[in-house]
Amino acid sequence: MKASLQWMNEYVPLDLNRPAQELADELTQAGIPVEEVLSMDPGLKKIYTGKIVEITKHPDADKLQVCQVQCLSEDGEEITKQIVTAATNVAVGQIVPVAYHKSRLADGTEIKKGKLRGVVSEGMFCSVAEFGISSDLVRPEEAQGIYIFPEGTPIGLDIKEALMLNDTVYEFELTANRADCFSMVGLSREFGIMTNQKALFPVIMVNENGESIEGKASVAIEAHDLCTRFTSRLVTNVTIEPSPLWMQNRLRNSGIRPINNVVDVTNYVMLELGQPMHAYDYDCVADHTLIARRAKAGETLTTLDGNERELNESMLIIADTKGPIGVAGVMGGLTSEVTDKTMNVLFEAAVFNGPSIRRTSKALGMRSEASGRFERGVNHKYTAYAIDRAAQLLQQICPSCKVSVGVVDVYPEPVEQRTVTFTAEQINDYLGTSIEKDRMIDILTKLEFGITESGDTIEALVPTWRDDVTVMPDIAEEVARIVSYDNIAPTIPVAILSSGGMTPKKALTKEVTHYLAHAGLSQIITFSFMHKDGLTNMMLPEGDSRYTAIPILNPISEEFPYMRTTLVPAVIEAAKRNIAQQNKDLWLFETANVYEPKALPLTEVPHERPMACGIMMGKVTEAAWNQAQRDTDFYDVKGVVDGLLAKLGLAESLNNATYKDPIQSKTIATHLLNKGNLNVADIQPSSESYYHPGVSAHYTVNGITIANYGELHPQVVKNFDLSGKVYMFEIDLEAVLSITVPPFRYQSFSKFPGTSRDLAIVAPVSVTSGEIVALIKEHGGEYLESVSIFDVYEGEHIEAGYRSLAYNLQFRSMEGTLNDEDIDGAIQAIIDALTTKNCKLR
């Protein structure tokens, strides 16, 4: 938002000789941040208005003209200057900018009198470019050639005064909650309280000198959730022409290009009152009816910029009885544009739903001053003022026009002002101050809050333009920012301190993250959003709960319209981006939440499930003289998952007196006393459709699935445009948290030597190694310390449908050295048990 200090001076008398930065600093300190103080003067010197009274041809140059210009001397006396020019748009009677002898242009060029082809020229005429004004801020016809002032402009007027180039402009970087300050009137309240003056509201009086609007125009609201107030006024017998110079200057200094008197009036009112408006050519609106409704599927509209826009059913439009004539709150349509042929104008001012306008403007790629204001919210009360102010201004600058009697105003549910109740003690306790009650009331009264006192209780009636004030802390902020934070002594808050700590979820996530990073995986962080195409690429069956995803009202892009229900697609996409940069050897992981709605549409906060997900592909080792490169395989991902679950107390390997961590390769010289009570993860083939059915598995504990891992299904790899073998894992951290892990208890190893036996077992291929290990442990007796498989064989000498599995069994006693008799019984018990599974010794 840009605010001209000369324009602001109309509402709040300002000391324009005061350093502009001082007031800017005060406003910033009060929560109305001034991003930049802009001087509109580009350094012009000795350029004044003059009137061309005579034009003759140059005697020695066909393209030059000799102009006699009526000017004023520096002493104020009327003089005539001779200017030689090549401009083709000059004519007798025009008021033009004249650069005198020793004048200076915006680019620093100094102009001196001299001769052009033998004829004396006492200066030069100027274009807007020579004033430092961008061609984007003037009407197209003014961008070329010499700038022509409106008729009646006084001669001898300094160009800086004539074009408001002696102005200072504040550019504000306002927060979204201060929608009231996106207008001159809204800012004037802040200027007023900073300068201890009362801001003046513009006097709005309309001379309704036309016929009644009844029966001549109508408006209707069909989308009541997206439009809450809709007003219209009719002005007839309008002459379309440039707006007065004072209005053009104010618009230009606010960053808006003047167009014509009708359009300039709507922009002026938007800047002044913060209410965006639109003007329609009344005769181009079918049945003279404006309707605020949702667009229909397949409807299109050519907007004022000449582009055809495809509309959808989520967009609010303004339509007549034949179809769309404007995108509500964003841009009007070309068919109802106000042109030089327009004679009757229908003004529209309305209140539209901010989030809807933002979504529409983003979807159509159109951002405007109007849409920005609607997004932040406009004041319902000012809608009626704005429609009257527009009629008043147009009547003022176009005296021939007639304002019809009456306003069409559809306002089905008027907004009621809210109140906030508090005490001075509450405010001071909240701020840590001792501000007097009367001082608080004085501040709030100047900010136009209605104050009612009842004993110590104060009730503040919140102005209609302050939607951001809802509770006592908001009132406290208003008091604090005006008192100035610099005047509030810093204090240490009184609090009962307690030792901090992490929640179980946070502690587990940290432990998992550290382990995976130590295992050689690189952590990534991706968006919490997804597209359902990713789930389709995963080959999830129809009806899978992961398709039930929360749609985002305002997605950051069309690629991410839903909250994610799985981490898999995002992790794969991260790998793809790395591969595109020739990083093909990837071990990546992410720990983050997925979002599971209890029902759609949302009626309560969704469940956030913490998960860990990783992808492993490419080479494991670097090529070197002493080792060959090796591809990532199934046992790498299994080792990562096994090692992590072992660290969390869930994997079987912790039952061993001594085990080797598959990642850290470190021998643990302790074992658990309560190993019989440990939750042991059961491994089974994975049932997830996106894993390779023969090279994947999942772990369950007490029937709860805690991890899936393995090779991605080849079709899934193809769906995601990957190549080669890709391995992934997913760990449900919430499921891990739900499992009670017994506390670790340690003791020293037995000082007696152990003994081992190897068993080669021929088993049906339908019997898993896990089943065999479970039988060995069940029947291995009290001295069995560990079981490990060391060989698998299928082929010659082995019956079809069978395979040979070789196991090493370690036995040890805490009380003495074992002999054959101590373990023979256990071996026989194991062999007998294996026969129940149709297994036998080889």
Side-chain angles (χ1 to χ4, degrees):
M1 172 70 188
K2 290 184 177 180
S4 156
L5 293 193
Q6 284 195 23
W7 188 2
M8 182 60 67
N9 197 49
E10 195 170 281
Y11 311 105
V12 180
L14 299 176
D15 180 3
L16 297 179
N17 294 319
R18 178 188 181 187
Q21 190 62 50
E22 286 185 9
L23 181 55
D25 291 342
E26 290 180 14
L27 288 164
T28 301
Q29 186 70 12
I32 312 297
V34 179
E35 182 73 11
E36 191 172 1
V37 178
L38 305 170
S39 172
M40 304 310 294
D41 181 7
L44 303 179
K45 177 183 175 184
K46 295 182 70 174
I47 305 176
Y48 303 95
T49 56
K51 182 176 183 179
I52 300 175
V53 294
E54 181 184 330
I55 299 178
T56 59
K57 295 287 291 180
H58 191 289
D60 294 323
D62 291 339
K63 294 186 178 181
L64 297 179
Q65 301 181 85
V66 181
C67 302
Q68 305 301 318
V69 186
Q70 183 182 345
C71 302
L72 293 183
S73 69
E74 294 183 14
D75 297 329
E77 295 181 5
E78 189 174 301
I79 57 174
T80 299
K81 288 183 176 288
Q82 181 170 285
I83 305 293
V84 179
T85 181
T88 59
N89 67 322
V90 293
V92 172
Q94 290 177 338
I95 309 297
V96 295
V98 183
Y100 286 18
H101 177 58
K102 292 188 176 180
S103 61
R104 184 170 61 239
L105 306 181
D107 61 1
T109 302
E110 190 173 281
I111 303 301
K112 297 181 179 179
K113 67 180 179 180
K115 290 184 178 182
L116 290 176
R117 300 292 292 269
V119 176
V120 173
S121 181
E122 299 179 80
M124 66 174 280
F125 297 146
C126 300
S127 66
V128 290
E130 285 149 341
F131 305 146
I133 298 176
S134 169
S135 59
D136 294 336
L137 292 176
V138 295
R139 293 180 294 120
E141 59 268 28
E142 296 174 341
Q144 305 296 325
I146 302 304
Y147 182 79
I148 310 300
F149 283 96
E151 255 184 76
T153 303
I155 65 170
L157 194 63
D158 191 311
I159 201 70
K160 291 188 287 187
E161 181 181 349
L163 295 177
M164 263 177 74
L165 296 176
N166 55 351
D167 193 10
T168 298
V169 171
Y170 286 171
E171 184 165 4
F172 292 90
E173 189 69 28
L174 298 166
T175 52
N177 65 307
R178 291 307 305 270
D180 59 302
C181 288
F182 281 83
S183 68
M184 296 299 292
V185 165
L187 286 170
S188 71
R189 300 187 191 97
E190 303 296 330
F191 276 82
I193 199 166
M194 288 295 101
T195 58
N196 200 28
Q197 298 182 83
K198 182 172 177 58
L200 302 175
F201 193 84
V203 178
I204 301 175
M205 296 179 63
V206 183
N207 177 20
E208 297 181 327
N209 56 350
E211 299 178 357
S212 173
I213 196 173
E214 189 173 349
K216 291 185 171 11
S218 63
V219 301
I221 301 175
E222 292 184 3
H224 289 276
D225 56 329
L226 302 183
C227 178
T228 50
R229 190 172 191 180
F230 199 1
T231 66
S232 183
R233 256 197 185 279
L234 175 61
V235 183
T236 60
N237 198 31
V238 177
T239 302
I240 304 299
E241 57 188 0
S243 54
L245 192 56
W246 63 267
M247 181 176 284
Q248 292 188 43
N249 289 339
R250 290 181 178 184
L251 291 175
R252 201 159 30 233
N253 285 2
S254 300
I256 293 180
R257 177 170 65 92
I259 297 174
N260 60 48
N261 52 356
V262 172
V263 176
D264 290 355
V265 160
T266 60
N267 285 330
Y268 188 92
V269 172
M270 176 183 68
L271 293 174
E272 184 177 50
L273 299 180
Q275 170 68 61
M277 296 186 61
H278 190 67
Y280 301 89
D281 187 323
Y282 171 79
D283 299 307
C284 296
V285 177
D287 295 326
H288 312 310
T289 299
L290 299 177
I291 306 167
R293 65 169 173 84
R294 282 181 168 83
K296 298 174 183 176
E299 282 189 317
T300 61
L301 171 69
T302 302
T303 48
L304 290 172
D305 56 8
N307 294 319
E308 185 176 72
R309 311 285 181 175
E310 293 185 11
L311 309 175
N312 62 55
E313 294 165 307
S314 69
M315 297 176 180
L316 180 67
I317 62 166
I318 304 301
D320 58 18
T321 55
K322 291 184 177 179
I325 58 174
V327 181
V330 182
M331 189 177 289
L334 196 61
T335 58
S336 58
E337 177 188 16
V338 173
T339 67
D340 293 343
K341 297 178 181 179
T342 299
M343 297 181 63
N344 304 305
V345 173
L346 194 60
F347 282 123
E348 166 235 301
V351 180
F352 302 127
N353 177 267
S356 170
I357 298 301
R358 179 172 176 79
R359 288 193 295 271
T360 299
S361 66
K362 187 172 183 181
L364 296 177
M366 296 190 298
R367 292 278 294 168
S368 63
E369 290 279 350
S371 66
R373 285 167 171 79
F374 278 122
E375 288 169 14
R376 293 169 175 84
V378 298
N379 183 6
H380 288 71
K381 185 177 180 181
Y382 277 16
T383 305
Y385 295 154
I387 205 82
D388 285 346
R389 181 62 165 161
Q392 175 193 24
L393 287 169
L394 187 56
Q395 200 170 46
Q396 177 184 331
I397 64 179
C398 180
S400 65
C401 71
K402 303 290 184 182
V403 178
S404 295
V405 177
V407 178
V408 182
D409 188 359
V410 179
Y411 192 18
E413 296 182 14
V415 176
E416 295 184 2
Q417 286 182 255
R418 69 171 65 90
T419 58
V420 178
T421 303
F422 60 94
T423 65
E425 183 180 6
Q426 287 176 324
I427 299 292
N428 282 321
D429 285 347
Y430 188 80
L431 296 177
T433 57
S434 56
I435 301 170
E436 295 292 332
K437 175 182 175 182
D438 291 343
R439 172 67 171 140
M440 295 182 189
I441 292 174
D442 179 60
I443 289 171
L444 295 172
T445 301
K446 287 180 178 178
L447 290 172
E448 301 188 38
F449 287 78
I451 300 299
T452 304
E453 295 184 69
S454 178
D456 291 334
T457 301
I458 304 170
E459 186 176 81
L461 182 65
V462 181
T464 56
W465 55 84
R466 290 303 303 273
D467 275 349
D468 59 313
V469 177
T470 58
V471 290
M472 181 277 293
D474 297 328
I475 296 290
E477 183 182 359
E478 293 301 297
V479 172
R481 71 184 186 86
I482 301 303
V483 168
S484 179
Y485 295 110
D486 287 343
N487 294 329
I488 297 177
T491 57
I492 298 175
V494 177
I496 299 173
L497 301 179
S498 58
S499 60
M502 287 188 289
T503 62
K505 172 183 171 181
K506 205 74 172 173
L508 175 63
T509 302
K510 181 179 179 181
E511 186 174 10
V512 169
T513 300
H514 285 186
Y515 180 85
L516 293 176
H518 188 63
L521 284 82
S522 298
Q523 185 177 15
I524 59 174
I525 299 175
T526 64
F527 288 124
S528 298
F529 320 122
M530 70 171 188
H531 197 289
K532 285 188 177 179
D533 286 353
L535 304 182
T536 306
N537 290 338
M538 289 169 62
M539 301 197 308
L540 292 179
E542 290 185 18
D544 191 287
S545 62
R546 281 164 286 195
Y547 282 110
T548 307
I550 303 165
I552 302 169
L553 292 178
N554 185 26
I556 59 173
S557 80
E558 294 180 359
E559 296 179 0
F560 302 104
Y562 299 97
M563 299 299 293
R564 64 183 172 193
T565 54
T566 174
L567 301 183
V568 172
V571 173
I572 293 177
E573 290 297 330
K576 286 178 62 178
R577 286 191 290 272
N578 275 273
I579 292 170
Q581 301 298 321
Q582 299 302 308
N583 299 322
K584 298 180 180 179
D585 303 326
L586 301 170
W587 283 24
L588 309 176
F589 80 94
E590 179 174 20
T591 51
N593 290 342
V594 297
Y595 302 87
E596 301 169 345
K598 298 174 183 176
L600 289 178
L602 285 180
T603 56
E604 54 184 312
V605 175
H607 177 62
E608 298 185 26
R609 181 181 297 277
M611 299 286 291
C613 180
I615 188 168
M616 301 169 68
M617 57 192 299
K619 303 294 184 182
V620 178
T621 55
E622 296 286 344
W625 68 269
N626 61 344
Q627 66 177 7
Q629 281 189 298
R630 180 175 68 81
D631 290 327
T632 300
D633 60 25
F634 173 79
Y635 295 102
D636 288 310
V637 68
K638 184 178 188 300
V640 169
V641 175
D642 284 354
L644 175 57
L645 297 185
K647 185 172 181 62
L648 299 177
L650 299 174
E652 184 180 0
S653 55
L654 280 182
N655 275 324
N656 301 332
T658 304
Y659 77 93
K660 210 170 188 185
D661 187 306
I663 302 301
Q664 300 179 52
S665 298
K666 176 180 177 182
T667 300
I668 308 300
T670 54
H671 75 283
L672 298 174
L673 278 177
N674 60 343
K675 62 183 179 180
N677 299 323
L678 182 66
N679 293 298
V680 178
D682 179 37
I683 184 171
Q684 296 291 337
S686 177
S687 59
E688 292 287 8
S689 59
Y690 47 92
Y691 285 110
H692 192 302
V695 195
S696 60
H698 73 265
Y699 279 123
T700 61
V701 175
N702 301 331
I704 301 172
T705 299
I706 58 173
N708 277 283
Y709 66 91
E711 181 184 340
L712 273 188
H713 194 291
Q715 184 60 47
V716 174
V717 173
K718 184 177 179 181
N719 291 345
F720 280 101
D721 293 327
L722 295 173
S723 60
K725 292 188 176 182
V726 180
Y727 301 89
M728 293 197 73
F729 64 84
E730 299 163 89
I731 300 172
D732 186 341
L733 302 185
E734 185 173 89
V736 172
L737 280 173
S738 69
I739 298 168
T740 302
V741 179
F744 287 174
R745 296 172 59 201
Y746 301 96
Q747 74 174 28
S748 301
F749 278 107
S750 170
K751 62 183 179 180
F752 301 103
T755 186
S756 67
R757 293 286 180 90
D758 291 340
L759 293 180
I761 300 166
V762 177
V765 292
S766 60
V767 177
T768 65
S769 176
E771 293 176 281
I772 294 173
V773 170
L775 281 174
I776 292 174
K777 288 183 176 180
E778 181 181 353
H779 299 279
E782 62 177 316
Y783 300 132
L784 180 63
E785 185 178 57
S786 67
V787 181
S788 61
I789 185 170
F790 64 86
D791 184 55
V792 179
Y793 173 71
E794 290 182 66
E796 190 177 358
H797 306 304
I798 300 295
E799 184 180 350
Y802 285 79
R803 60 182 173 176
S804 173
L805 305 171
Y807 296 89
N808 175 259
L809 284 61
Q810 293 285 338
F811 296 88
R812 191 187 303 270
S813 171
M814 296 293 292
E815 299 171 353
T817 302
L818 298 175
N819 54 41
D820 290 343
E821 291 78 7
D822 294 325
I823 60 176
D824 283 345
I827 294 296
Q828 188 59 49
I830 292 171
I831 295 171
D832 293 342
L834 287 172
T835 60
T836 64
K837 294 286 186 179
N838 201 20
C839 301
K840 58 186 178 181
L841 290 181
R842 184 176 175 183

